Amino acid sequence: MKHVNSTMAKTPFFQTNMKKRTLLAVWGAGLACLLLSAGSMSAGAMSTDRQTHTLTVDIDNIQVQTGALMVALYANAEDYAAGHNPSASMIKPVTKTEHRLVFSDLADGQYAVKVFHDENNNHSLDTNMLGVPSEGYGFSNNAGNFGPASFKDASFSLQADAQITVHIR
């Protein structure tokens, strides 16, 4: 490699040439990194092929055509019992006696669905003085005949695309 003295490094030709070389080197290194990361991403995608599924939830027996359906899908008993951190949720305005909702990109696992019909759009399940719901509700497996369904009673295994029906009470 040729030694560059300080006078030569200050000439416009040398500075322009060095800038071009530096830019080409940076661009080339960036392109190489991009290609390597794209290769590793595609290799990673091939090795971690995570199959996802679609869950179709049909909700029927809706008595009043006002308000909205509040639907939550849970993947574990703790979140289900607490009513927090659903894996997925939807709010669907009620316009008829039955509705279909589709949850996609779900991994294999155990799930349970909770639904309530918020007839007055106050975002809570209203109850009477005894604590009995005064708005419609339902659970997957149509569980919970005598009070709220447990995760165990409402849960189902999702290993492929599936369709369930929840009857509103």
Side-chain angles (χ1 to χ4, degrees):
M1 178 179 248
K2 189 175 179 183
H3 183 278
V4 178
N5 66 32
S6 61
T7 307
M8 190 175 165
K10 294 179 183 174
T11 63
F13 172 78
F14 183 81
Q15 288 176 342
T16 303
N17 204 13
M18 283 300 290
K19 285 181 187 176
K20 285 182 184 176
R21 284 187 195 162
T22 303
L23 287 174
L24 284 172
V26 168
W27 187 83
L31 181 61
C33 288
L34 181 63
L35 291 173
L36 286 173
S37 67
S40 67
M41 285 189 330
S42 62
M46 290 185 337
S47 66
T48 60
D49 254 348
R50 183 180 81 106
Q51 188 173 8
T52 61
H53 310 292
T54 299
L55 174 66
T56 302
V57 180
D58 290 327
I59 302 170
D60 65 9
N61 201 34
I62 301 169
Q63 300 299 312
V64 180
Q65 280 71 58
T66 61
L69 293 171
M70 309 296 242
V71 183
L73 177 67
Y74 295 93
N76 64 63
E78 295 78 26
D79 289 339
Y80 177 88
H84 297 292
N85 303 318
S87 296
S89 63
M90 286 190 200
I91 298 173
K92 175 78 173 176
V94 174
T95 58
K96 51 190 176 180
T97 59
E98 53 189 51
H99 285 276
R100 174 171 281 180
L101 290 83
V102 178
F103 295 95
S104 55
D105 296 326
L106 300 173
D108 288 352
Q110 286 292 115
Y111 292 94
V113 175
K114 285 184 179 181
V115 178
F116 83 87
H117 180 187
D118 186 13
E119 296 175 18
N120 56 7
N121 286 318
N122 68 351
H123 302 285
S124 64
L125 178 63
D126 295 336
T127 59
N128 64 20
M129 291 175 17
L130 299 174
V132 176
S134 58
E135 294 179 309
Y137 64 94
F139 305 95
S140 44
N141 296 333
N142 293 302
N145 289 329
F146 302 104
S150 67
F151 183 81
K152 180 182 174 189
D153 291 341
S155 68
F156 55 92
S157 178
L158 185 67
Q159 305 297 317
D161 292 352
Q163 181 175 352
I164 65 170
T165 300
V166 175
H167 305 297
I168 296 294
R169 298 187 179 107

